[in-house]
Amino acid sequence: MAVTQSPDNPAGPDSRLRDARLFLTQALQTFRATGSVVPSSPALAHALNRYVDERPDPAAPLSILESGSGTGPVSRAIAAHMRPGDTLDLVDPNPRFAEHLRGLLTTDPGLSAVADRVTVHESLVTDLGVDRRFDVIISGLPFANFTAEEVQEILDYYFTVLRPGGHLSFFGYLYTKQVKAIIAPRADYLRQVRSGWVVDDWVKRYGVGRERVFANVPPAWIFHLRKPLEDGGGS
Ligand SMILES: C[S@@+](CC[C@H](N)C(=O)[O-])C[C@H]1O[C@@H](n2cnc3c(N)ncnc32)[C@H](O)[C@@H]1O
């Protein structure tokens, strides 16, 4: 894992190592919800910001939701890509991660610069309520660890709170299905196959781009989805 500074990772090596330690201890306790043993790399965090950069109207501020912020590598990158007036909601139900994110709003150079426009929610994303609207949603949730019903509920929620024309970008890890086919119990493998079908269905209906990021541990894929202008809801 790289620990160098970059525009998308203004934190120094000490902060990155501290974040990696916290992430690993939480992953060991709650692997189903955490889904990885290391935080996302700056390369993955940067690529997830595609639709924070590509705006239909450069003068209009964006309302951005990051779901599953963890120790905040993607949050930091979003802060680096935000423009005046943009707002950012960070969500994570893990109390240790939420506390860490609140701390970053004062200690991290990039996030503290926009702290008056950032809100941290210690919550499941689907508990945020439907009286909100976002232009961009960036999701780090480990869909491969969830049931098909959970993935459907979360994607339905994203498309309910996404404005028409808004974008959802989310990532997963390459080759997890193939690895699980060999080492996981059959029931777990089949659960992942079924949740993968739900993701595939949404990508088929709303996908506007996909990319692979090899500079991440493990290598990742990203899907970008767009809510149609004429579509008022989810599935
Ligand atoms: C794979 S980690 C990604 C963390 C961080 N975004 C990154 O890229 O390093 C997944 C995160 O999603 C959070 N999470 C799991 N289920 C969630 C849910 N239903 N709503 C919001 N966050 C959730 C976990 O606590 C964890 O921090």
Side-chain angles (χ1 to χ4, degrees):
M1 181 178 47
V3 290
T4 49
Q5 281 174 270
S6 74
D8 284 301
N9 178 28
D14 289 350
S15 329
R16 292 267 297 159
L17 286 172
R18 185 200 55 203
D19 292 2
R21 264 199 302 270
L22 172 61
F23 197 90
L24 178 61
T25 54
Q26 293 307 299
L28 294 175
Q29 290 171 32
T30 60
F31 187 73
R32 183 176 179 276
T34 308
S36 168
V37 290
V38 285
S40 294
S41 68
L44 177 56
H46 175 81
L48 286 164
N49 272 273
R50 176 148 162 199
Y51 290 100
V52 177
D53 287 339
E54 290 177 21
R55 304 167 179 237
D57 176 357
L62 295 180
S63 132
I64 305 159
L65 168 67
E66 190 203 351
S67 174
S69 305
T71 53
V74 178
S75 327
R76 287 185 164 107
I78 298 170
H81 289 252
M82 279 168 69
R83 298 192 196 158
D86 291 353
T87 59
L88 173 61
D89 287 80
L90 306 176
V91 192
D92 205 294
N94 181 317
R96 292 293 312 281
F97 288 151
E99 181 192 7
H100 181 79
L101 293 165
R102 286 190 287 266
L104 290 181
L105 296 187
T106 51
T107 58
D108 179 75
L111 279 163
S112 62
V114 293
D116 59 333
R117 290 180 279 130
V118 181
T119 308
V120 176
H121 306 267
E122 185 176 324
S123 162
L124 296 172
V125 67
T126 44
D127 286 346
L128 279 186
V130 293
D131 56 340
R132 302 164 181 275
R133 289 295 175 266
F134 297 98
D135 302 294
V136 176
I137 299 178
I138 297 178
S139 173
L141 300 201
F143 287 150
N145 288 5
F146 293 173
T147 64
E149 292 72 24
E150 288 169 326
V151 173
Q152 182 68 38
E153 184 197 358
I154 292 164
L155 289 171
D156 268 336
Y157 177 76
Y158 288 163
F159 266 56
T160 300
V161 294
L162 202 54
R163 287 207 174 92
H167 288 90
L168 163 67
S169 299
F170 62 93
F171 69 92
Y173 301 118
L174 288 167
Y175 315 124
T176 54
K177 208 156 63 184
Q178 290 84 342
V179 171
K180 269 201 182 143
I182 299 167
I183 62 165
R186 188 162 170 74
D188 191 35
Y189 170 69
L190 291 177
R191 180 203 47 71
Q192 189 184 342
V193 168
R194 281 194 287 267
S195 58
W197 286 340
V198 175
V199 171
D200 290 347
D201 179 49
W202 281 77
V203 168
K204 206 168 0 159
R205 280 189 286 158
Y206 301 114
V208 289
R210 68 174 67 191
E211 40 197 304
R212 283 193 276 189
V213 180
F214 287 100
N216 190 70
V217 181
W221 46 257
I222 298 176
F223 283 115
H224 302 286
L225 275 56
R226 179 176 182 270
K227 179 170 170 174
L229 287 171
E230 69 281 6
D231 186 341
S235 57

